[in-house]
């Protein structure tokens, strides 16, 4: 897999960066991931599923939510503010 990261035409910051953004009650996730889980700050599982470009969180609790994405063989964790 190393050769995938050596293209000189792309900055390294463009590769493998998945930054979720909340827009109108949806988490929008650029890039591809295998599945997701959303937890409350206390660790309660609120929602989970496979790949979706937009994950609706309008019906979840407001405040901090914890999003875990499985990307390749990594688990990436994000703290998001659900307004």
């Amino acid at each position: 897999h190393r050769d995938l990261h050596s293209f000189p035409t792309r900055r390294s910051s463009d590769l493998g960066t998945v930054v979720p953004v909340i827009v109108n009650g949806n988490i929008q996730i650029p890039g591809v991931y295998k599945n997701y889980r959303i937890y409350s700050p206390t660790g309660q599982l609120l929602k989970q599923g496979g790949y979706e470009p937009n994950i609706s969180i309008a019906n979840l609790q407001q405040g901090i939510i914890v999003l875990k994405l499985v990307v390749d063989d990594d688990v990436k964790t994000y703290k998001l503010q659900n307004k």
Side-chain angles (χ1 to χ4, degrees), residues 3 5-6 8 15-16 18-19 25-26 28 38 40-41 43 48 52-53 55 62-63 71 73 78-83:
D3 53 348
H5 296 285
S6 61
L15 292 165
V18 177
V19 180
N26 289 297
Q28 294 185 349
I38 299 173
S40 71
Q48 64 183 331
E52 295 175 45
I55 302 168
Q62 297 194 333
V71 182
D73 294 321
Y78 305 91
K79 282 191 177 175
L80 302 172
Q81 182 79 33
N82 187 16
K83 297 186 170 87

Side-chain angles (χ1 to χ4, degrees), residues 4-82:
L4 292 177
H5 296 285
S6 61
F7 290 115
T9 54
R10 298 181 70 178
R11 296 192 314 276
S12 59
S13 61
D14 293 338
L15 292 165
T17 51
V18 177
V19 180
V21 183
I22 296 180
V23 181
N24 297 330
N26 289 297
I27 303 176
Q28 294 185 349
I29 303 171
V32 177
Y33 61 94
K34 289 181 183 174
N35 54 56
Y36 71 88
R37 288 186 175 166
I38 299 173
Y39 295 91
S40 71
T42 58
Q44 178 187 1
L45 180 63
L46 303 175
K47 189 170 184 174
Q48 64 183 331
Y51 173 78
E52 295 175 45
N54 294 296
I55 302 168
S56 175
I57 56 168
N59 57 352
L60 298 185
Q61 66 185 35
Q62 297 194 333
I64 299 293
I65 56 174
V66 179
L67 171 67
K68 290 186 182 267
L69 293 178
V70 178
V71 182
D72 296 323
D73 294 321
D74 281 345
V75 177
K76 299 187 186 301
T77 302
Y78 305 91
K79 282 191 177 175
L80 302 172
Q81 182 79 33
N82 187 16

